[in-house]
Amino acid sequence: SAVISQKPSRDICQRGTSLTIQCQVDSQVTMMFWYRQQPGQSLTLIATANQGSEATYESGFVIDKFPISRPNLTFSTLTVSNMSPEDSSIYLCSVKGLAGGIRTDTQYFGPGTRLTVL
Amino acid sequence: TQLLEQSPQFLSIQEGENLTVYCNSSSVFSSLQWYRQEPGEGPVLLVTVVTGGEVKKLKRLTFQFGDARKDSSLHITAAQPGDTGLYLCAGSAMNRDDKIIFGKGTRLHILP
């Protein structure tokens, strides 16, 4: 399995500002994803982070609001732009498949970033 | 749209009791994972089941994948307060899509 770290672990932000969340993996992985988990809810996929190209967004999520970067096989960022209180949530990075390894369906998750927007 | 229905959504039982959580779908999955999530942390993988009819045991937890690969169950024997948490099932679709979908979760609370 891969060890995933996220920064920051939590933040409190003002309405209208932006926050960039970093996800670092200790080994090269083929796929990286970003999820949102609103209070008391399950996980909702925001997008798949693609190395060297634009992320693939799920219905209801757009690049202008959630720009994503993935410059290499171990790192990705998610920015939450022009925040509103409705963006208060836990944002989770997830990875699947060790690069060069056997294909696996199992996904692993980072510890999450707890965002509160005032 | 593929859906995973989990039941029950909430469960509060006394320490020492047994319980079963269910995860059902009308779709077939190539594999299914169970995660446990504690407050303030990300989901932690408990098990992956791949073969129809497969049963896996993790100490007091028993996981089963349905024969048709459309459903799964998690059975906990002699529940302990440390089992408290949010249990999530997640399925990998049979198509070329690499995404997994999550159930809504079962929030389990074990009373000492």
Side-chain angles (χ1 to χ4, degrees), chain B residues 6 17 31 49 51 95:
Chain B
Q6 267 188 257
E17 293 184 4
S31 69
V49 286
T51 306
N95 60 22

Side-chain angles (χ1 to χ4, degrees), chain A residues 10 31 33 35 37 39-45 48 56 58 90 92 94 96 103 105-112 114, chain B residues 6 30-31 33 35 37 39-45 48 86 88 92 95-105 107:
Chain A
R10 58 176 60 227
M31 305 200 72
F33 307 91
Y35 287 81
Q37 185 177 29
Q41 302 295 315
S42 185
L43 281 68
T44 301
L45 180 63
T48 302
T56 305
E58 297 300 303
I90 298 172
L92 294 148
S94 178
K96 183 162 83 168
R103 183 184 181 277
D105 291 327
T106 300
Q107 279 187 222
Y108 299 94
F109 287 83
R114 183 179 293 273
Chain B
Q6 267 188 257
S30 60
S31 69
Q33 292 92 48
Y35 295 84
Q37 185 179 23
E41 299 180 9
V44 175
L45 179 70
T48 299
L86 177 66
L88 295 157
S92 295
N95 60 22
R96 76 296 173 261
D97 199 311
D98 280 309
K99 294 176 287 192
I100 63 172
I101 61 168
F102 279 85
K104 290 189 181 297
R107 195 163 295 280

Side-chain angles (χ1 to χ4, degrees), chain B residues 45-62:
Chain B
L45 179 70
L46 296 174
V47 77
T48 299
V49 286
V50 179
T51 306
E54 182 177 4
V55 176
K56 283 192 174 179
K57 292 196 173 186
L58 187 65
K59 296 183 181 178
R60 293 175 295 100
L61 278 59
T62 301

